[in-house]
Amino acid sequence: MKPTKYKNSKGEPRWMIQAYFGRDIHGKRIMKKRKGYKTQREAIIAYAQLLEERDNQSLSNKNMTVKELYDVWFPIYSKGLEPSTISKVTSYFKNHILSDTKRLKVSELTPPLLQTTLNNWALEAKSGVVWGRYFKKMITYAFFNDLIPSNPFDKVTTPKVINNSRERKIDVFLNSEQLHRFLKYWENKRIIQYAYFRLISYSGMRRGEILALEWSDIDFDKKTVSINKAIGLDYRNGTTKQYVKEPKANSGRKLHLDSTTLGVLKKYKQECEEDVLWPGIHKYMDFNVPERWLQKFKNDPEVDDDLKNVTLHGLRHTHATVIFEQAAINGKAAPLKAVQKRMGHATIEMTLNIYTHVTDNENNLVDELIEKGFS
């Protein structure tokens, strides 16, 4: 924009200039403005200098490496993110993405090069597809800010062949009968262990949610537990720190608890002298403690082999699966919306996609129906 004339607050004539400098992370135009010049000639000279500044920036952008772009983009992108998310994304870039791309010039990234890179990442690890998504976010930022004339990711597709070698086994959850045997084992162990595994199995809480519980969150009279916070992990700077955060996907909720689970918690409360249910060195119990309990369980030669695949997340999975299983056994439709609310899922699709694995009992019901024939 060429110099324009205006009057300042004193009514004196002055000249103003402004120039376009690209877009911010939200796609909003960036305009640099200068004003206060007494003559048009001064404004014209300043305008030429401003355009030269923009051209020099553009030339510098052509030589910008992926690592330099990351250093600009990530502080902006990470604002407002949970520390646990920042830790995870930082790890993706420093351990994987940048190791392959940091010396490449952003202006020289082409669709074929990016497609090959994403395909290789997908074959390298199951999370390789996720690395590609974050890489795309960063390159899209460069495009919105006019650091590159076009977005090469517009012509790149998500890899269809991925590495499933580290994928979890499907059978990490238990059916009703297996859950009974699992809890029977813990019934004869320390009360804190039995209370933990009983509660997570009969509530479907996430690991971070159950660790953050305080006794004030449990209403023994109304038979409910309030989930209003969770424990997160921040493992930046070579250390691991716990912090209290909001439940995932704003999934705060109040759940009904069965009488047996409440009875176990009452018994446990008699020997727990802290405000939190699972006290630890830094107030809350460490994430690894229940993992160690479960690993010791798996190493016990007395434990049935069909129980040894279960994981802590699998016990959350178990809760939803058993609800579906028991509904089917009793000839009722699974209450999907109620299960979604209980599990704290953001969408009903998550409940359907993740928690509708068919158990052996449900398979047997289908087999019986087919054997009897349809009327």
Side-chain angles (χ1 to χ4, degrees), residues 171-273:
D171 293 328
V172 294
F173 67 94
L174 306 175
N175 61 32
S176 299
E177 187 274 330
Q178 290 171 321
L179 178 60
H180 174 76
R181 283 187 281 129
F182 176 81
L183 292 177
K184 197 69 178 177
Y185 174 92
W186 293 106
E187 190 175 349
N188 299 316
K189 303 299 179 183
R190 294 168 55 203
I191 184 63
I192 184 176
Q193 295 174 322
Y194 181 41
Y196 177 90
F197 286 115
R198 176 81 197 191
L199 182 57
I200 198 171
S201 300
Y202 272 76
S203 66
M205 277 187 271
R206 299 179 178 91
R207 291 182 299 166
E209 293 172 344
I210 193 171
L211 286 181
L213 286 177
E214 300 180 8
W215 287 110
S216 58
D217 296 322
I218 298 179
D219 191 322
F220 287 99
D221 294 327
K222 295 182 179 179
K223 303 175 70 172
T224 61
V225 56
S226 296
I227 302 172
N228 48 47
K229 55 190 173 299
I231 300 299
L233 291 179
D234 181 357
Y235 47 90
R236 291 173 292 175
N237 303 320
T239 61
T240 301
K241 297 179 181 179
Q242 291 184 336
Y243 69 98
V244 179
K245 63 176 186 175
E246 293 290 322
K248 187 176 181 180
N250 298 317
S251 57
R253 56 205 186 278
K254 184 176 289 187
L255 306 180
H256 172 81
L257 293 178
D258 64 284
S259 299
T260 302
T261 299
L262 285 167
V264 174
L265 290 173
K266 281 183 180 179
K267 183 178 178 181
Y268 168 51
K269 191 174 188 294
Q270 292 175 358
E271 68 173 53
C272 181
E273 300 177 351

Side-chain angles (χ1 to χ4, degrees), residues 288-313:
N288 291 330
V289 174
E291 291 282 6
R292 290 197 293 268
W293 293 344
L294 198 56
Q295 189 57 50
K296 190 173 182 180
F297 163 82
K298 294 178 180 182
N299 293 336
D300 189 335
E302 299 298 321
V303 172
D304 297 330
D305 288 341
D306 65 330
L307 302 182
K308 292 186 176 182
N309 282 331
V310 74
T311 62
L312 290 179
H313 182 71

Side-chain angles (χ1 to χ4, degrees), residues 54 56 90 121 128 269-270 322 325:
R54 185 182 67 181
N56 289 337
T90 300
W121 287 345
K269 191 174 188 294
Q270 292 175 358
V322 168
E325 177 191 355

Side-chain angles (χ1 to χ4, degrees), residues 18-50:
Q18 62 177 356
Y20 173 68
F21 269 71
R23 298 178 182 272
D24 64 16
I25 190 172
H26 304 293
K28 187 177 179 180
R29 290 164 61 89
I30 299 174
M31 302 296 296
K32 287 196 175 183
K33 184 185 295 186
R34 304 282 188 272
K35 61 182 181 178
Y37 302 105
K38 293 182 179 180
T39 66
Q40 184 180 25
R41 185 173 182 278
E42 288 180 359
I44 291 174
I45 294 173
Y47 183 61
Q49 292 172 341
L50 189 60

Side-chain angles (χ1 to χ4, degrees), residues 8 32 36 52 72 81 133 154 158 160 174 210 259 336 343:
N8 62 16
K32 287 196 175 183
E52 183 179 2
V72 172
L81 293 181
R133 292 182 191 139
D154 288 343
T158 302
K160 295 181 179 178
L174 306 175
I210 193 171
S259 299
L336 292 176
M343 301 302 292

